[in-house]
Amino acid sequence: MTSANITALVEVRPTRARASARSVEIAGTRWPLYKLHALLAAVVVGVLALAITGSVQAVAWASAVALITVWWTERFWQSRRHR
């Protein structure tokens, strides 16, 4: 039986240094600001949806859409800015 040379299977690619995202430390963990902005937007939209509609289902949908929209939009723009 022959043994495989595992190092032949590993491809090393040079990586470019990525600029670190703006972040804040919460309980010893660094969080990117786009995550906090998304959570804040979801809470604000949720409170507004509850005040306007009084429906918990509307709150869930509206806050989920706000969270996903802010999260991916800021993440996209942040990645474009650091290229």
Side-chain angles (χ1 to χ4, degrees):
M1 181 184 267
T2 61
S3 61
N5 183 359
I6 195 68
T7 58
L9 301 176
V10 177
E11 181 180 338
V12 178
R13 293 185 220 162
T15 58
R16 63 179 183 188
R18 279 181 70 172
S20 62
R22 294 184 327 177
S23 60
V24 64
E25 189 169 325
I26 299 175
T29 304
R30 306 223 26 101
W31 274 50
L33 284 179
Y34 69 86
K35 290 182 180 184
L36 295 178
H37 292 159
L39 289 172
L40 181 62
V43 168
V44 169
V45 168
V47 169
L48 289 174
L50 184 61
I52 293 169
T53 66
S55 168
V56 176
Q57 186 175 8
V59 169
W61 279 104
S63 60
V65 168
L67 182 119
I68 291 169
T69 302
V70 171
W71 184 301
W72 284 104
T73 303
E74 282 199 36
R75 187 169 182 215
F76 173 76
W77 287 113
Q78 188 176 53
S79 69
R80 288 285 183 197
R81 214 176 324 152
H82 290 299
R83 279 190 175 185

